[in-house]
Amino acid sequence: MVHVFRAGRAVRLAVPSRAETEAAARAARGRPSSATDPEVRSAMPGTVVAVDVDDGDDVPAGATLLTVEAMKMERRLLAPHAGTVSLSARVGDLVRADQVVAVVHPAATPEGES
């Protein structure tokens, strides 16, 4: 919650959390909140400066896959869920904003589990 005071009046502004913002974005795309996109996209144009996994590695959800740098600002790209990684970028590659740089194929769940 942010409070703004101006000309003797107070206004309260609600600031959504990251989880609320992501849920709203998923809802706008018509995707249920439990679904995750297997494609990992670069959030900004830049250069891949680090790749922390190998193609075909099994990774847990939230693992750092690679790092993109632009103008001395680095952005780590994380696995959206557990699974097997297929990389489409390597160190030194130039990437565009929203370019797919990896795909994390979901881990198979044993039968009987959901």
Side-chain angles (χ1 to χ4, degrees):
M1 188 69 63
V2 176
H3 298 274
V4 178
F5 297 96
R6 182 166 185 205
R9 294 183 55 205
V11 178
R12 292 186 338 198
L13 302 173
V15 180
S17 69
R18 173 178 262 177
E20 292 169 331
T21 302
E22 290 173 355
R26 279 192 298 275
R29 291 189 302 260
R31 188 176 297 166
S33 62
S34 61
T36 57
D37 193 353
E39 295 179 338
V40 178
R41 298 175 179 270
S42 178
M44 62 185 185
T47 304
V48 177
V49 294
V51 177
D52 298 304
V53 296
D54 291 320
D55 204 30
D57 281 357
D58 289 327
V59 297
T64 300
L65 303 177
L66 50 93
T67 305
V68 175
E69 179 195 56
M71 299 178 62
K72 305 294 181 199
M73 183 174 65
E74 291 186 350
R75 175 78 182 237
R76 294 181 307 136
L77 301 178
L78 309 176
H81 51 256
T84 305
V85 178
S86 294
L87 295 170
S88 56
R90 54 181 195 248
V91 174
D93 285 356
L94 297 175
V95 295
R96 298 178 316 275
D98 206 35
Q99 177 179 335
V100 176
V101 295
V103 176
V104 180
H105 302 282
T109 57
E111 289 192 30
E113 290 184 22
S114 49

